[in-house]
Amino acid sequence: MNASAHVLPPVCIIGNGLIGGSLMRDLAKKGERVYGYTHSNAGARQAVADGFDVVTDLAALLARAEQDHALIVIAVPFDVVAEILDAIAEHAPSCGITDVVSVKGPVSAIVEKHGMLERYVGGHPMAGTESSGWGASHEGLFERAAWVVTYDYAVAADRVPEGWATLFTQVCRMASLVGAEAVPVSAAKHDEAVARVSHLPHVIAEGLSIVGDRGSTLAQSLAAGSFKGATRVAATQPSLVRNMCETNAEQLVGVLDEFIALLEEARDGLGAERPDMQHLAEAGHRAHTRMAARSGARRESVSPVRISSRPVMRVHPGGPGWVKQLQQIEAVGGRVEVF
Amino acid sequence: MNASAHVLPPVCIIGNGLIGGSLMRDLAKKGERVYGYTHSNAGARQAVADGFDVVTDLAALLARAEQDHALIVIAVPFDVVAEILDAIAEHAPSCGITDVVSVKGPVSAIVEKHGMLERYVGGHPMAGTESSGWGASHEGLFERAAWVVTYDYAVAADRVPEGWATLFTQVCRMASLVGAEAVPVSAAKHDEAVARVSHLPHVIAEGLSIVGDRGSTLAQSLAAGSFKGATRVAATQPSLVRNMCETNAEQLVGVLDEFIALLEEARDGLGAERPDMQHLAEAGHRAHTRMAARSGARRESVSPVRISSRPVMRVHPGGPGWVKQLQQIEAVGGRVEVF
């Protein structure tokens, strides 16, 4: 898109919370051109004081993005996505768009309503902490994380426009630049998987915190690693937790039903005359072993060469058979390297 | 008990797994006299190779403990406690006894059956990892952890025998020596509190591992911090998880019912036409804030002076009103320093 040494076109980040802010820091560190918007005057002042190009005038920023042929990254809570898209339609009608929202089907649906599917590639970095806001953002947040990249549009399209393939390439390269691994996933499969491994853990953290707290100061005093590990994310702002869980409610309800059924079976076993939790303990341990055997990159490696435990496939977006290749990668939870 | 520089009488540890082994390492490092027993030849060989005095002849070891007026620490799984007490009755009829088993009511009941209550003070260090065995044991495991010390016997007794008060002092001093904080708790309150903050998290970890694993390789690939934090302890040996949960079944069933009710309420809210998880998200966040405000010592302190967030009371076991003092400490989840 330009003859400079930049890997990406200018990147325009809408929203500078934990994810948007951390992305901005990493891209700037890599020498990419990046600027952003936040609705909060205080947030913008903080970011500017830290040396970043962040403004509170969305229309002006999007006009700049349009002129720059920038890649727009939507990094706001789900309930603000529609109004951001309205503004993009008005002020940046030809920019490519991606997002980092934690549900993908509902975001796609809004994008479709805006008639913008042909210039949208969904994204979701599987990284975060219990903190939020620019103040919590930091370099390296995405290191070795999976960065989900959706490709439903390419599956549905008779012929994928070249612009869309280019956009897909840019999103994958952006993920890779900040140390993440691009994992191609359909929106529906993503939403089910994150209900299992992210939204359910958040619901659990809230519930377990309440049950622990009912044990009063003594329970506080005795709580150790297992409790703290399982409740850490209950420190997340309740509005953010609601946003992700309520937006993915359909998938989450199904997964909650599965989980409640397992707990009820354990409860019945424990309530028997001879308390018995054999099935849950053994099946849980086996499941944990499988999950841990290949959950992301191997952090324990001491090799200076980065080792990933996700299978990799090199793909040329737009090339022959590339959408089929993405489907093959998705089937094994693998990552894609674009060229 | 002796005129040497030792804080404790010789300590005889029965069982050299994660807890017993780590206790042995810490006591030896502090210059205390410590020796132990394990049923496993391989385990004994490993410990001896590491420079520790560990044997597989329980009768001989207990005879030595009896001669030494040693403090016996039972560090075996619950289902072996009765046979260890049989052996103690035969070979070490006058030693003081404590234990590190994760339930206290059921252990007390077995001790009572053996007619040994007057020489038993229950203990439970709130420390551990998902690993087990001598190979997992290490120095510093108990640093800043709560070490529960039960005192039901002193509450029930008309007059506490001096020997029992001395034993209580020794157990508190041992906890303190290895960096832990002695927290006096009645057996029943302990068992309810650990059902909330330890056994329920274990049940959750098993169930969540299963629900995640059903998401197959994609869920594996996307699982990040919230999932890993909540499932870490599912790596624990299933037999150990069963042992603690099944032994504390009565308390755990009540706590599981509370937790399931919270999940069902959330499920119903999420299943509504307008999905709503407001109550759980906000109540969970408030509960987390309270629990985190004072959960153990402040690890983030950079002060070289050790800071504990548990209120402390100095108590002289056997002195006037000391049992009442313990009850006051228990009411606030505080710690005791004995003198």
Side-chain angles (χ1 to χ4, degrees), chain A residues 196-197 206 211 213-214 217 221 228 231 234 236 246 257-258 267 277 284-285 288 290 295 310 331 333, chain B residues 196-197 206 211 213-214 217 221 227-228 231 234 236 246 257-258 267 277 284-285 288 290 295 310 331 333:
Chain A
R196 292 184 186 278
V197 299
E206 307 290 2
V211 172
D213 185 46
R214 286 182 188 159
T217 49
S221 186
K228 289 173 191 172
T231 55
T236 310
E246 292 170 2
D257 283 342
E258 285 183 30
R267 186 239 173 269
M277 207 181 79
H285 185 259
H288 179 272
R290 277 192 297 265
S295 58
R310 293 185 188 98
Chain B
R196 292 184 186 278
V197 300
E206 307 289 3
V211 172
D213 184 46
R214 286 181 187 160
T217 50
S221 186
F227 184 85
K228 288 174 192 173
T231 55
T236 310
E246 293 170 1
D257 283 341
E258 285 184 31
R267 187 239 173 269
M277 209 183 77
H285 186 259
H288 180 271
R290 278 191 296 266
S295 58
R310 293 185 187 99

Side-chain angles (χ1 to χ4, degrees), chain A residues 179-195:
Chain A
E181 302 185 348
V183 175
V185 189
S186 70
K189 290 242 168 111
H190 166 274
D191 291 352
E192 192 213 315
V194 295

